[in-house]
Amino acid sequence: MRVSCSAPGKVILFGEHAVVYGEPAMAVAVNKRTTCTVSTETKNTKVNGRNIQERYHSYILHSIERAGIDMPLNIETNSDLPSGAGMGSSAAVTVSTMGCLKNLSAEIDEKEIARDSFEVEWDVQGGASPIDTSTSTHGSSILLSNQRLSDFLWKIEKEKERWYAHHRDIPAVNIVVGDTGVHSRTGPLVRKVRSFYEKSNFARDIVKEIGEIVKKASTAFSDENLERIGELMDENQRLLSILGVSHPKLERLIKGARKYSYGAKLTGAGGGGSMVAITERPEKVAEEIESRGGTPYMLESTPDGLITVDA
Ligand code: PMV
């Protein structure tokens, strides 16, 4: 048996890091994807021709364990998402793999895949929120919140936290991402913020403030008020840098992008990785990013979340 699934990357527009503590966040699925193909016709489990190893294939290994599959599998992945750049490559590989593994025995159930993929990210990263995996599973745009709102999709609980995922229509904006080229790892950054959060009232206040910004941003998206969205992005960035997850190269790209944008901020875990800008002039923003040593991506949002493709 052979199955193949594809899942999109994502860009977090608001709320990264704070969302780990149950605050709201917004992300949009983008037109860069990972495709995974799983075949049961093999004697040993291999990933892209190599024996599976925790060190190189942690998300896939944990997905196999969580799906409870106990047979050799030949797994191939293909991705147009750069890794460690804040565009959700680990969520896309996890969701597309989980889609294949579940599809070996049953129809794809979005809610189940979103939950299991979140658990995989949690295990591998040592803490996570469901924003990346829910967006990659569902597509379009996702608002995570600590309360149930309109267009509710699913609830995910872990330890003390509870998140409600909601469908949101794709915001009508041009998205430009700038990759600093500074490789960053989500797990260590999440743990760094956690130790600050656990020790300091100030850090907890910053996290709450980020949550307030996301609520305002959600209203600004409903009102299609791009100026307001931009202001809120800049404010979100200021708070993220206080949390210690920005990077000089991110600040440089953000400063350049802001000349032609409504707003710009880091996206994803930070510490390097990428920034995102919302703009009417994507080419100009891309030029600024490039002239400051970054790699620009002019992205389009996509309604397509996890889909099965011909194997
Ligand atoms: O680095 P990324 O793109 O996987 O984004 C991480 C976002 C965090 O809020 C920092 C962690 C999480 O799981 O929500």
Side-chain angles (χ1 to χ4, degrees):
M1 190 172 185
R2 196 177 151 87
V3 290
S4 200
C5 285
S6 151
K10 62 89 219 349
V11 173
I12 300 179
L13 296 177
F14 287 97
E16 49 275 272
H17 285 289
V19 67
V20 174
Y21 309 97
E23 295 296 332
M26 284 186 72
V28 59
V30 294
N31 61 336
K32 287 197 174 289
R33 308 182 67 89
T34 297
T35 302
C36 177
T37 303
V38 173
S39 156
T40 53
E41 283 134 40
T42 181
K43 290 205 170 59
N44 300 306
T45 295
K46 295 211 179 237
V47 178
N48 297 327
R50 294 171 78 167
N51 288 333
I52 192 160
Q53 284 182 61
E54 172 79 39
R55 186 162 168 213
Y56 302 113
H57 313 118
S58 49
Y59 291 96
I60 294 176
L61 198 58
H62 284 257
S63 298
I64 295 171
E65 278 170 24
R66 174 136 302 261
I69 300 216
D70 190 18
M71 66 170 105
L73 300 169
N74 190 32
I75 299 173
E76 281 159 43
T77 61
N78 251 302
S79 187
D80 37 39
L81 285 157
S83 85
M87 276 186 260
S89 62
S90 53
V93 81
T94 305
V95 169
S96 59
T97 304
M98 194 63 83
C100 288
L101 298 174
K102 299 275 180 176
N103 206 217
L104 288 173
S105 57
E107 287 293 299
I108 285 181
D109 175 46
E110 265 200 1
K111 192 195 295 179
E112 196 185 316
I113 289 183
R115 286 196 176 131
D116 283 335
S117 300
F118 160 67
E119 292 287 345
V120 169
E121 279 217 329
W122 177 283
D123 288 347
V124 174
Q125 291 172 191
S129 81
I131 188 72
D132 290 14
T133 39
S134 284
T135 309
S136 185
T137 306
H138 179 68
S140 297
S141 183
I142 289 278
L143 173 67
L144 277 193
S145 165
N146 51 12
Q147 320 163 33
R148 191 175 163 148
L149 308 168
S150 62
D151 294 317
F152 168 73
L153 294 169
W154 48 72
K155 179 173 83 175
I156 294 184
E157 288 175 284
K158 185 80 182 172
E159 296 184 352
K160 298 194 297 282
E161 308 305 343
R162 177 183 297 166
W163 298 271
Y164 296 87
H166 306 87
H167 166 88
R168 287 292 174 265
D169 289 331
I170 293 173
V173 289
N174 293 304
I175 299 167
V176 182
V177 162
D179 184 355
T180 59
V182 178
H183 191 85
S184 77
R185 288 178 55 228
T186 305
L189 281 151
V190 168
R191 292 195 289 280
K192 175 178 158 177
V193 173
R194 182 172 291 284
S195 73
F196 188 23
Y197 180 87
E198 279 169 358
K199 276 192 226 117
S200 151
N201 280 334
F202 175 67
R204 288 192 286 276
D205 286 346
I206 298 288
V207 162
K208 285 218 171 64
E209 258 190 76
I210 293 178
E212 291 307 312
I213 287 177
V214 184
K215 287 181 201 155
K216 290 177 190 161
S218 169
T219 309
F221 270 113
S222 314
D223 299 344
E224 294 182 26
N225 184 345
L226 296 179
E227 276 86 10
R228 182 76 183 127
I229 291 165
E231 277 167 24
L232 292 164
M233 286 175 86
D234 294 353
E235 182 63 7
N236 194 164
Q237 171 61 22
R238 194 178 65 76
L239 297 170
L240 284 164
S241 55
I242 297 173
L243 278 185
V245 293
S246 196
H247 183 279
K249 201 145 180 213
L250 275 171
E251 298 291 342
R252 233 174 102 66
L253 300 191
I254 288 168
K255 196 168 166 201
R258 277 186 184 151
K259 292 193 211 167
Y260 303 105
S261 302
Y262 290 107
K265 60 180 274 296
L266 70 81
T267 181
S274 294
M275 45 71 63
V276 59
I278 297 283
T279 176
E280 301 280 352
R281 302 174 74 186
E283 283 86 9
K284 292 299 281 180
V285 173
E287 269 172 34
E288 275 293 328
I289 290 169
E290 210 155 16
S291 74
R292 289 163 184 252
T295 307
Y297 296 91
M298 287 188 266
L299 297 173
E300 281 168 31
S301 48
T302 175
D304 296 328
L306 174 67
I307 49 175
T308 52
V309 289
D310 288 339

